[in-house]
Amino acid sequence: MKAFLASLVVALVVAVGAAWLLETTYQSTAADAYATNGARVGDPGHNLVGTDWYSSRS
């Protein structure tokens, strides 16, 4: 039982650590990640849905 509880604690710590690391360090938008001259990434704001979008399917 101790090993099972220890594995749950370790899994929780790894999950929270990975979520924090991805949130703060490794995730970026395509416009930021591919900002060289060879990449064809346009302005990311023109094709986004936006905050005022609503779904007819609720």
Short mmCIF file of all heavy atoms in Angstrom, two decimals:
data_model
loop_
_atom_site.label_atom_id
_atom_site.label_comp_id
_atom_site.label_asym_id
_atom_site.label_seq_id
_atom_site.Cartn_x
_atom_site.Cartn_y
_atom_site.Cartn_z
N MET A 1 0.82 -1.19 0.00
CA MET A 1 0.00 0.00 0.00
C MET A 1 0.86 1.26 0.00
O MET A 1 0.51 2.24 -0.64
CB MET A 1 -0.91 -0.03 1.24
CG MET A 1 -1.91 1.07 1.30
SD MET A 1 -3.10 0.91 -0.02
CE MET A 1 -4.23 2.18 0.38
N LYS A 2 1.99 1.21 0.70
CA LYS A 2 2.88 2.36 0.73
C LYS A 2 3.46 2.65 -0.65
O LYS A 2 3.59 3.81 -1.04
CB LYS A 2 4.01 2.14 1.73
CG LYS A 2 3.58 2.19 3.16
CD LYS A 2 4.78 1.99 4.07
CE LYS A 2 4.35 1.95 5.52
NZ LYS A 2 5.52 1.76 6.41
N ALA A 3 3.79 1.60 -1.38
CA ALA A 3 4.35 1.79 -2.72
C ALA A 3 3.31 2.40 -3.66
O ALA A 3 3.65 3.25 -4.49
CB ALA A 3 4.85 0.46 -3.27
N PHE A 4 2.06 2.00 -3.53
CA PHE A 4 1.00 2.56 -4.37
C PHE A 4 0.79 4.04 -4.07
O PHE A 4 0.68 4.86 -4.99
CB PHE A 4 -0.30 1.78 -4.15
CG PHE A 4 -1.44 2.30 -4.96
CD1 PHE A 4 -1.48 2.12 -6.33
CD2 PHE A 4 -2.47 3.00 -4.35
CE1 PHE A 4 -2.52 2.61 -7.08
CE2 PHE A 4 -3.52 3.50 -5.10
CZ PHE A 4 -3.55 3.30 -6.48
N LEU A 5 0.75 4.39 -2.80
CA LEU A 5 0.58 5.80 -2.44
C LEU A 5 1.79 6.64 -2.87
O LEU A 5 1.63 7.77 -3.34
CB LEU A 5 0.35 5.93 -0.94
CG LEU A 5 -0.99 5.39 -0.43
CD1 LEU A 5 -1.05 5.49 1.08
CD2 LEU A 5 -2.14 6.12 -1.07
N ALA A 6 2.97 6.06 -2.74
CA ALA A 6 4.17 6.78 -3.18
C ALA A 6 4.15 6.99 -4.69
O ALA A 6 4.53 8.06 -5.18
CB ALA A 6 5.42 6.01 -2.77
N SER A 7 3.67 6.00 -5.44
CA SER A 7 3.60 6.16 -6.89
C SER A 7 2.57 7.21 -7.29
O SER A 7 2.76 7.94 -8.25
CB SER A 7 3.30 4.82 -7.57
OG SER A 7 1.99 4.38 -7.22
N LEU A 8 1.48 7.31 -6.54
CA LEU A 8 0.49 8.35 -6.81
C LEU A 8 1.07 9.74 -6.55
O LEU A 8 0.84 10.67 -7.34
CB LEU A 8 -0.75 8.15 -5.94
CG LEU A 8 -1.68 7.01 -6.32
CD1 LEU A 8 -2.84 6.92 -5.33
CD2 LEU A 8 -2.21 7.18 -7.73
N VAL A 9 1.82 9.87 -5.49
CA VAL A 9 2.44 11.16 -5.16
C VAL A 9 3.46 11.53 -6.23
O VAL A 9 3.50 12.67 -6.70
CB VAL A 9 3.07 11.12 -3.76
CG1 VAL A 9 3.94 12.34 -3.52
CG2 VAL A 9 1.99 11.02 -2.70
N VAL A 10 4.27 10.58 -6.65
CA VAL A 10 5.27 10.84 -7.68
C VAL A 10 4.60 11.21 -9.00
O VAL A 10 5.02 12.14 -9.69
CB VAL A 10 6.21 9.63 -7.85
CG1 VAL A 10 7.07 9.77 -9.10
CG2 VAL A 10 7.08 9.47 -6.62
N ALA A 11 3.53 10.50 -9.37
CA ALA A 11 2.81 10.81 -10.60
C ALA A 11 2.21 12.22 -10.55
O ALA A 11 2.25 12.96 -11.53
CB ALA A 11 1.72 9.78 -10.84
N LEU A 12 1.69 12.61 -9.41
CA LEU A 12 1.12 13.94 -9.25
C LEU A 12 2.20 15.01 -9.35
O LEU A 12 2.02 16.02 -10.04
CB LEU A 12 0.39 14.05 -7.91
CG LEU A 12 -0.27 15.38 -7.62
CD1 LEU A 12 -1.40 15.63 -8.60
CD2 LEU A 12 -0.79 15.42 -6.20
N VAL A 13 3.33 14.79 -8.73
CA VAL A 13 4.43 15.75 -8.78
C VAL A 13 4.96 15.88 -10.20
O VAL A 13 5.20 17.00 -10.69
CB VAL A 13 5.55 15.36 -7.79
CG1 VAL A 13 6.81 16.15 -8.04
CG2 VAL A 13 5.07 15.52 -6.37
N VAL A 14 5.11 14.77 -10.91
CA VAL A 14 5.59 14.82 -12.28
C VAL A 14 4.59 15.53 -13.18
O VAL A 14 4.97 16.35 -14.03
CB VAL A 14 5.88 13.39 -12.80
CG1 VAL A 14 6.10 13.38 -14.30
CG2 VAL A 14 7.08 12.81 -12.08
N ALA A 15 3.30 15.27 -13.01
CA ALA A 15 2.28 15.92 -13.84
C ALA A 15 2.23 17.42 -13.60
O ALA A 15 2.17 18.21 -14.56
CB ALA A 15 0.92 15.30 -13.55
N VAL A 16 2.28 17.84 -12.35
CA VAL A 16 2.26 19.27 -12.05
C VAL A 16 3.53 19.94 -12.54
O VAL A 16 3.50 21.04 -13.12
CB VAL A 16 2.05 19.50 -10.53
CG1 VAL A 16 2.29 20.94 -10.15
CG2 VAL A 16 0.65 19.06 -10.13
N GLY A 17 4.66 19.29 -12.37
CA GLY A 17 5.93 19.85 -12.85
C GLY A 17 5.96 19.97 -14.37
O GLY A 17 6.42 20.97 -14.91
N ALA A 18 5.45 18.97 -15.07
CA ALA A 18 5.43 19.03 -16.53
C ALA A 18 4.47 20.12 -17.02
O ALA A 18 4.78 20.84 -17.97
CB ALA A 18 5.02 17.68 -17.10
N ALA A 19 3.33 20.25 -16.38
CA ALA A 19 2.38 21.29 -16.77
C ALA A 19 2.98 22.68 -16.55
O ALA A 19 2.84 23.57 -17.40
CB ALA A 19 1.08 21.14 -15.98
N TRP A 20 3.65 22.86 -15.45
CA TRP A 20 4.28 24.16 -15.16
C TRP A 20 5.40 24.44 -16.16
O TRP A 20 5.53 25.55 -16.66
CB TRP A 20 4.82 24.18 -13.74
CG TRP A 20 5.55 25.45 -13.44
CD1 TRP A 20 5.01 26.65 -13.12
CD2 TRP A 20 6.97 25.65 -13.50
NE1 TRP A 20 6.01 27.58 -12.95
CE2 TRP A 20 7.22 26.99 -13.18
CE3 TRP A 20 8.04 24.81 -13.78
CZ2 TRP A 20 8.50 27.51 -13.15
CZ3 TRP A 20 9.31 25.34 -13.74
CH2 TRP A 20 9.53 26.67 -13.42
N LEU A 21 6.21 23.43 -16.44
CA LEU A 21 7.32 23.61 -17.36
C LEU A 21 6.83 23.94 -18.77
O LEU A 21 7.36 24.82 -19.43
CB LEU A 21 8.19 22.36 -17.39
CG LEU A 21 9.49 22.44 -18.15
CD1 LEU A 21 10.42 23.44 -17.49
CD2 LEU A 21 10.15 21.07 -18.21
N LEU A 22 5.80 23.25 -19.23
CA LEU A 22 5.27 23.53 -20.56
C LEU A 22 4.60 24.89 -20.61
O LEU A 22 4.66 25.58 -21.62
CB LEU A 22 4.28 22.45 -20.96
CG LEU A 22 4.89 21.10 -21.34
CD1 LEU A 22 3.79 20.09 -21.62
CD2 LEU A 22 5.79 21.25 -22.54
N GLU A 23 3.96 25.27 -19.54
CA GLU A 23 3.27 26.57 -19.50
C GLU A 23 4.25 27.72 -19.55
O GLU A 23 4.03 28.71 -20.22
CB GLU A 23 2.43 26.66 -18.22
CG GLU A 23 1.68 27.93 -18.05
CD GLU A 23 0.47 28.05 -18.96
OE1 GLU A 23 -0.06 27.00 -19.34
OE2 GLU A 23 0.09 29.17 -19.28
N THR A 24 5.36 27.59 -18.88
CA THR A 24 6.28 28.72 -18.74
C THR A 24 7.44 28.71 -19.72
O THR A 24 7.99 29.76 -20.01
CB THR A 24 6.86 28.77 -17.31
OG1 THR A 24 7.56 27.55 -17.07
CG2 THR A 24 5.78 28.97 -16.29
N THR A 25 7.81 27.56 -20.26
CA THR A 25 9.07 27.49 -20.99
C THR A 25 8.93 27.06 -22.44
O THR A 25 9.34 27.77 -23.34
CB THR A 25 10.04 26.52 -20.28
OG1 THR A 25 10.15 26.91 -18.92
CG2 THR A 25 11.40 26.54 -20.92
N TYR A 26 8.35 25.92 -22.67
CA TYR A 26 8.51 25.26 -23.97
C TYR A 26 7.39 25.54 -24.96
O TYR A 26 7.58 25.34 -26.15
CB TYR A 26 8.66 23.76 -23.79
CG TYR A 26 9.98 23.39 -23.17
CD1 TYR A 26 10.06 22.93 -21.87
CD2 TYR A 26 11.15 23.54 -23.88
CE1 TYR A 26 11.27 22.61 -21.31
CE2 TYR A 26 12.37 23.23 -23.32
CZ TYR A 26 12.42 22.76 -22.04
OH TYR A 26 13.62 22.45 -21.49
N GLN A 27 6.23 25.93 -24.55
CA GLN A 27 5.15 26.16 -25.50
C GLN A 27 5.19 27.59 -26.01
O GLN A 27 5.36 28.53 -25.25
CB GLN A 27 3.80 25.90 -24.86
CG GLN A 27 3.49 24.44 -24.71
CD GLN A 27 2.07 24.21 -24.22
OE1 GLN A 27 1.51 25.06 -23.56
NE2 GLN A 27 1.52 23.08 -24.55
N SER A 28 5.04 27.73 -27.31
CA SER A 28 4.94 29.05 -27.92
C SER A 28 4.08 28.92 -29.17
O SER A 28 3.85 27.83 -29.67
CB SER A 28 6.33 29.58 -28.28
OG SER A 28 6.96 28.75 -29.21
N THR A 29 3.62 30.04 -29.65
CA THR A 29 2.81 30.01 -30.86
C THR A 29 3.69 29.75 -32.07
O THR A 29 4.91 29.91 -32.02
CB THR A 29 2.07 31.35 -31.04
OG1 THR A 29 3.05 32.38 -31.21
CG2 THR A 29 1.19 31.67 -29.85
N ALA A 30 3.07 29.35 -33.17
CA ALA A 30 3.83 29.09 -34.38
C ALA A 30 4.48 30.36 -34.91
O ALA A 30 5.58 30.31 -35.48
CB ALA A 30 2.92 28.48 -35.44
N ALA A 31 3.82 31.49 -34.73
CA ALA A 31 4.39 32.75 -35.20
C ALA A 31 5.66 33.09 -34.42
O ALA A 31 6.59 33.68 -34.97
CB ALA A 31 3.37 33.88 -35.06
N ASP A 32 5.72 32.72 -33.16
CA ASP A 32 6.92 32.97 -32.37
C ASP A 32 8.00 31.92 -32.63
O ASP A 32 9.18 32.23 -32.70
CB ASP A 32 6.59 32.97 -30.88
CG ASP A 32 5.72 34.14 -30.48
OD1 ASP A 32 5.76 35.17 -31.19
OD2 ASP A 32 5.01 34.03 -29.47
N ALA A 33 7.59 30.67 -32.78
CA ALA A 33 8.55 29.59 -32.95
C ALA A 33 9.22 29.63 -34.32
O ALA A 33 10.40 29.32 -34.46
CB ALA A 33 7.87 28.25 -32.75
N TYR A 34 8.46 29.98 -35.34
CA TYR A 34 8.99 30.01 -36.71
C TYR A 34 9.04 31.45 -37.20
O TYR A 34 8.32 31.85 -38.09
CB TYR A 34 8.12 29.16 -37.63
CG TYR A 34 8.01 27.73 -37.16
CD1 TYR A 34 6.84 27.25 -36.60
CD2 TYR A 34 9.09 26.87 -37.25
CE1 TYR A 34 6.74 25.95 -36.16
CE2 TYR A 34 9.01 25.57 -36.82
CZ TYR A 34 7.83 25.11 -36.27
OH TYR A 34 7.74 23.83 -35.83
N ALA A 35 9.91 32.23 -36.62
CA ALA A 35 9.98 33.65 -36.93
C ALA A 35 11.13 33.98 -37.89
O ALA A 35 11.55 35.11 -37.98
CB ALA A 35 10.14 34.45 -35.65
N THR A 36 11.62 32.98 -38.62
CA THR A 36 12.70 33.24 -39.56
C THR A 36 12.14 33.67 -40.91
O THR A 36 10.93 33.63 -41.15
CB THR A 36 13.56 31.98 -39.76
OG1 THR A 36 12.74 30.95 -40.31
CG2 THR A 36 14.15 31.51 -38.44
N ASN A 37 13.01 34.06 -41.82
CA ASN A 37 12.56 34.50 -43.13
C ASN A 37 12.01 33.36 -43.98
O ASN A 37 11.17 33.58 -44.85
CB ASN A 37 13.73 35.15 -43.89
CG ASN A 37 14.14 36.45 -43.24
OD1 ASN A 37 13.34 37.08 -42.57
ND2 ASN A 37 15.39 36.85 -43.45
N GLY A 38 12.46 32.15 -43.76
CA GLY A 38 12.00 31.01 -44.57
C GLY A 38 10.65 30.48 -44.18
O GLY A 38 10.02 29.75 -44.93
N ALA A 39 10.16 30.82 -43.00
CA ALA A 39 8.86 30.32 -42.56
C ALA A 39 7.76 31.22 -43.08
O ALA A 39 7.88 32.43 -43.09
CB ALA A 39 8.82 30.27 -41.03
N ARG A 40 6.67 30.62 -43.51
CA ARG A 40 5.54 31.38 -44.04
C ARG A 40 4.42 31.41 -43.02
O ARG A 40 3.35 30.85 -43.23
CB ARG A 40 5.05 30.75 -45.33
CG ARG A 40 6.07 30.82 -46.43
CD ARG A 40 5.53 30.22 -47.68
NE ARG A 40 6.52 30.28 -48.74
CZ ARG A 40 6.47 29.56 -49.82
NH1 ARG A 40 5.48 28.73 -50.02
NH2 ARG A 40 7.41 29.68 -50.73
N VAL A 41 4.64 32.05 -41.92
CA VAL A 41 3.64 32.18 -40.88
C VAL A 41 3.20 33.63 -40.86
O VAL A 41 3.99 34.53 -40.62
CB VAL A 41 4.18 31.77 -39.50
CG1 VAL A 41 3.12 31.92 -38.44
CG2 VAL A 41 4.70 30.35 -39.54
N GLY A 42 1.92 33.86 -41.12
CA GLY A 42 1.42 35.22 -41.16
C GLY A 42 1.02 35.72 -39.79
O GLY A 42 1.36 35.13 -38.76
N ASP A 43 0.30 36.79 -39.79
CA ASP A 43 -0.20 37.36 -38.54
C ASP A 43 -1.17 36.39 -37.90
O ASP A 43 -2.17 36.02 -38.51
CB ASP A 43 -0.90 38.69 -38.84
CG ASP A 43 -1.47 39.33 -37.61
OD1 ASP A 43 -0.94 39.07 -36.51
OD2 ASP A 43 -2.44 40.09 -37.74
N PRO A 44 -0.91 35.92 -36.68
CA PRO A 44 -1.77 34.91 -36.09
C PRO A 44 -3.12 35.44 -35.63
O PRO A 44 -3.97 34.67 -35.24
CB PRO A 44 -0.96 34.41 -34.89
CG PRO A 44 -0.09 35.55 -34.54
CD PRO A 44 0.22 36.25 -35.83
N GLY A 45 -3.35 36.73 -35.70
CA GLY A 45 -4.60 37.28 -35.19
C GLY A 45 -5.75 37.25 -36.16
O GLY A 45 -6.90 37.34 -35.76
N HIS A 46 -5.51 37.09 -37.45
CA HIS A 46 -6.61 37.21 -38.41
C HIS A 46 -7.47 35.97 -38.54
O HIS A 46 -8.59 36.04 -39.01
CB HIS A 46 -6.07 37.61 -39.78
CG HIS A 46 -5.38 36.50 -40.50
ND1 HIS A 46 -4.10 36.14 -40.21
CD2 HIS A 46 -5.82 35.69 -41.48
CE1 HIS A 46 -3.77 35.13 -41.00
NE2 HIS A 46 -4.78 34.84 -41.77
N ASN A 47 -6.98 34.81 -38.14
CA ASN A 47 -7.76 33.59 -38.32
C ASN A 47 -8.22 32.97 -37.01
O ASN A 47 -8.67 31.84 -36.99
CB ASN A 47 -6.94 32.57 -39.11
CG ASN A 47 -5.68 32.15 -38.39
OD1 ASN A 47 -5.32 32.74 -37.39
ND2 ASN A 47 -5.01 31.14 -38.90
N LEU A 48 -8.13 33.70 -35.94
CA LEU A 48 -8.55 33.17 -34.65
C LEU A 48 -10.02 33.45 -34.42
O LEU A 48 -10.59 34.39 -34.97
CB LEU A 48 -7.72 33.79 -33.52
CG LEU A 48 -6.22 33.55 -33.62
CD1 LEU A 48 -5.51 34.26 -32.49
CD2 LEU A 48 -5.92 32.07 -33.58
N VAL A 49 -10.65 32.63 -33.62
CA VAL A 49 -12.08 32.77 -33.37
C VAL A 49 -12.35 34.00 -32.51
O VAL A 49 -13.26 34.76 -32.80
CB VAL A 49 -12.62 31.49 -32.69
CG1 VAL A 49 -14.06 31.66 -32.29
CG2 VAL A 49 -12.47 30.32 -33.63
N GLY A 50 -11.60 34.20 -31.47
CA GLY A 50 -11.78 35.36 -30.63
C GLY A 50 -12.55 35.04 -29.36
O GLY A 50 -13.12 33.97 -29.19
N THR A 51 -12.61 36.02 -28.49
CA THR A 51 -13.26 35.81 -27.20
C THR A 51 -14.77 35.96 -27.26
O THR A 51 -15.47 35.47 -26.38
CB THR A 51 -12.72 36.81 -26.15
OG1 THR A 51 -12.93 38.12 -26.65
CG2 THR A 51 -11.24 36.59 -25.92
N ASP A 52 -15.29 36.63 -28.27
CA ASP A 52 -16.74 36.83 -28.34
C ASP A 52 -17.44 35.75 -29.16
O ASP A 52 -18.61 35.86 -29.48
CB ASP A 52 -17.06 38.21 -28.89
CG ASP A 52 -16.47 38.43 -30.27
OD1 ASP A 52 -15.62 37.62 -30.69
OD2 ASP A 52 -16.86 39.40 -30.91
N TRP A 53 -16.75 34.68 -29.53
CA TRP A 53 -17.33 33.61 -30.30
C TRP A 53 -18.26 32.80 -29.41
O TRP A 53 -17.98 32.53 -28.26
CB TRP A 53 -16.23 32.71 -30.85
CG TRP A 53 -16.75 31.58 -31.65
CD1 TRP A 53 -17.17 31.62 -32.94
CD2 TRP A 53 -16.91 30.22 -31.23
NE1 TRP A 53 -17.56 30.40 -33.35
CE2 TRP A 53 -17.43 29.50 -32.32
CE3 TRP A 53 -16.66 29.54 -30.05
CZ2 TRP A 53 -17.70 28.16 -32.26
CZ3 TRP A 53 -16.96 28.21 -30.00
CH2 TRP A 53 -17.47 27.53 -31.09
N TYR A 54 -19.35 32.38 -29.95
CA TYR A 54 -20.27 31.52 -29.21
C TYR A 54 -20.62 30.34 -30.07
O TYR A 54 -20.60 30.38 -31.29
CB TYR A 54 -21.52 32.27 -28.78
CG TYR A 54 -22.40 32.66 -29.94
CD1 TYR A 54 -23.49 31.87 -30.32
CD2 TYR A 54 -22.14 33.82 -30.67
CE1 TYR A 54 -24.28 32.23 -31.39
CE2 TYR A 54 -22.93 34.18 -31.75
CZ TYR A 54 -24.00 33.38 -32.11
OH TYR A 54 -24.77 33.73 -33.18
N SER A 55 -20.94 29.24 -29.42
CA SER A 55 -21.29 28.02 -30.11
C SER A 55 -22.78 27.81 -30.06
O SER A 55 -23.42 28.01 -29.02
CB SER A 55 -20.57 26.83 -29.47
OG SER A 55 -21.01 25.64 -30.05
N SER A 56 -23.36 27.41 -31.18
CA SER A 56 -24.79 27.10 -31.17
C SER A 56 -25.05 25.74 -30.54
O SER A 56 -26.16 25.43 -30.16
CB SER A 56 -25.34 27.14 -32.60
OG SER A 56 -24.68 26.19 -33.40
N ARG A 57 -23.99 24.92 -30.45
CA ARG A 57 -24.11 23.63 -29.78
C ARG A 57 -23.69 23.78 -28.33
O ARG A 57 -22.55 23.99 -28.03
CB ARG A 57 -23.20 22.60 -30.44
CG ARG A 57 -23.63 22.24 -31.81
CD ARG A 57 -22.80 21.07 -32.27
NE ARG A 57 -22.03 21.47 -33.43
CZ ARG A 57 -20.96 20.87 -33.85
NH1 ARG A 57 -20.49 19.83 -33.19
NH2 ARG A 57 -20.32 21.25 -34.93
N SER A 58 -24.62 23.68 -27.43
CA SER A 58 -24.27 23.82 -26.02
C SER A 58 -24.48 22.53 -25.27
O SER A 58 -25.15 21.67 -25.58
CB SER A 58 -25.10 24.89 -25.35
OG SER A 58 -24.76 26.12 -25.92
#
